[in-house]
Amino acid sequence: MTPSNRAVVAHAADDLRIETRPEPHAASDEAVIAIAFGGVCGSDLHYWRHGAAGESILRAPMVLGHEVVGVVQHAAADGSGPAVGTAVAVHPATELPGDGSRYPADRPNLAPGGTYLGSAARVPHTEGAFADRVALPSRMLRPLPQGLSLRAAAVIEPASVAWHAVARAGEVTGRHALVVGAGPIGALIVAVLRRAGAAHITVVDLVPRALDAALALGADAALLADDAEAIAAVDADVSFESSGNHRGLASAVRGTTRGGTVVMVGLLPSGEQPALISLAITRELELRGSFRFAGEIDAVVAALADGSLDAAGVVTHEFDADDALEAFAVAADPARSGKVLLRFAGAGQL
C-alpha cells in the first residue's frame, strides 16, 4: 500500500496543519515527484503567522512550500522531463500572460501574471509542494548531477535568489561588498560573493549566531546592526539589503561609497517606507531591486555540484514533516536557526 500523502497546509494565521491529501493526478506534461526536502522560507512563515505574505492573503487552505527537491516517481506521460528515479530540484515559477503590463522578455521573474508554488497571490491559490508526493510540470524540474545529494541541493532555490541578487549588482570581482541581514538569503549572498571574487565582504545583523554563520561562509568582517558608526565607515562599492526592514535599507545606503550600488533584496512591507533618498541622491547611488530569479538556477546547480559554491553552512536544522509546527517555530527564531528543512517521504529513495 502507498503510505498517506502528508502535506503542510496553512489555513489561517496561527493555523498550520499536517493533513493527508489525495494522491496527485498528473497531466501529460507533469511528473509525480516524491519530495525529499523542503526549506522553510520567510513567506511560509508569514502565511503561518499572519495569514498573508505581503499583499498575498490566504483566502482558502493552501499547501505551503516552494524550496523543494525530490525524486521522480512517475515520469511525464508525454515524454518530457527526466526519467523515473531521477533526483531533481524545482524551479517554482510559472510565467503566464498578464494584464498587458510590459516587462523585459529576458526577465520572466517580472511577469505580472506569473505564479509561484505556495503563493496566495492569485485565487485560486497556487498550491505549494510541502507534501510527500506532488505533480509538477516537467519544465520546472532540474536533474541533479551525480554526487550532489538531495539534502545539499535543498538550498538551490534560495541560493538562486542570492545568485540573482549578486548578478543585479554587476561586476563584483575585486570589489568591497556590504551585506545587511545575515538570514539564509543574506548568508547565501555572502557565499555567492565569495565565489564571484569579491575582495572584502562585511556582513551586518542583529543576531550574533547569524553573523558567525556568515563568517563561516566567507565574510571577512561582521558588525552588529546597532553600530551605526561602524556601518557608515564600511564605504562599500556594492551593498545588499536582505533584512527586509527599512532600517536595514538605511544602513545599506549609509555604508555604500559615493557612486556605489545598493541592491534591494529583502522584501519590505507593502506601502510607503521611510528611506534615505537625499543621501542616495547626493552620493549618486544606484538603487536596484532584485526579485526572485530567472535562469540562474542552472548555474547554481552546477556550482553546488562542482564545489565552487559552498552553501552547506546555511542549513542548521532538519525536521520530519510530522513535526512541521516545531520546525516553523524554530525557523522563525533567527537566534536559534538559519535555514530549516522539512524531511518528506522522498528522502529515503536515494
Side-chain angles (χ1 to χ4, degrees), residues 163-297:
W163 195 290
H164 180 75
V166 173
R168 291 285 295 144
E171 182 58 63
V172 298
T173 303
R175 305 183 79 190
H176 286 219
L178 171 66
V179 180
V180 180
I185 295 297
L188 286 165
I189 289 173
V190 168
V192 175
L193 284 168
R194 179 53 63 208
R195 181 189 182 278
H200 190 277
I201 305 167
T202 301
V203 65
V204 174
D205 203 279
L206 289 166
V207 179
R209 185 215 59 77
L211 293 176
D212 290 341
L215 288 168
L217 286 167
D220 299 289
L223 298 172
L224 287 170
D226 58 2
D227 194 346
E229 184 176 347
I231 294 170
V234 171
D235 200 36
D237 300 303
V238 57
S239 297
F240 298 84
E241 198 304 296
S242 58
S243 72
N245 184 288
H246 72 267
R247 295 180 181 85
L249 179 57
S251 292
V253 169
R254 289 193 180 99
T256 305
T257 196
R258 289 168 176 80
T261 300
V262 177
V263 180
M264 299 173 289
V265 190
L267 190 59
L268 273 69
S270 60
E272 296 181 359
Q273 295 288 324
L276 290 179
I277 295 300
S278 61
L279 187 57
I281 292 170
T282 58
R283 290 188 179 181
E284 288 194 355
L285 302 182
E286 294 188 37
L287 306 184
R288 301 179 183 176
S290 182
F291 183 62
R292 293 176 179 165
F293 60 94
E296 292 88 351
I297 188 171

Side-chain angles (χ1 to χ4, degrees), residues 27-209:
S28 63
D29 63 345
E30 292 181 330
V32 175
I33 308 301
I35 298 298
F37 296 101
V40 179
C41 176
S43 63
D44 299 316
L45 295 176
H46 280 296
Y47 285 124
W48 164 53
R49 300 174 92 179
H50 310 298
E55 296 181 4
S56 300
I57 301 170
L58 277 177
R59 304 183 189 280
M62 181 180 73
V63 179
L64 296 176
H66 55 268
E67 300 179 11
V68 293
V69 293
V71 181
V72 177
Q73 189 172 69
H74 299 290
D78 66 0
S80 63
V84 171
T86 303
V88 294
V90 175
H91 190 318
T94 297
E95 182 182 3
L96 296 173
D99 58 3
S101 300
R102 298 189 304 131
Y103 65 95
D106 61 344
R107 295 163 72 179
N109 56 307
L110 302 182
T115 64
Y116 220 69
L117 295 179
S119 170
R122 299 166 67 97
V123 178
H125 299 332
T126 305
E127 298 283 8
F130 278 175
D132 285 318
R133 290 169 295 282
V134 296
L136 296 173
S138 294
R139 57 178 167 70
M140 286 187 173
L141 307 179
R142 302 295 192 274
L144 299 182
Q146 284 194 348
L148 180 59
S149 71
L150 283 163
R151 193 180 189 280
V155 299
I156 283 174
E157 195 275 350
S160 299
V161 173
W163 195 290
H164 180 75
V166 173
R168 291 285 295 144
E171 182 58 63
V172 298
T173 303
R175 305 183 79 190
H176 286 219
L178 171 66
V179 180
V180 180
I185 295 297
L188 286 165
I189 289 173
V190 168
V192 175
L193 284 168
R194 179 53 63 208
R195 181 189 182 278
H200 190 277
I201 305 167
T202 301
V203 65
V204 174
D205 203 279
L206 289 166
V207 179
R209 185 215 59 77

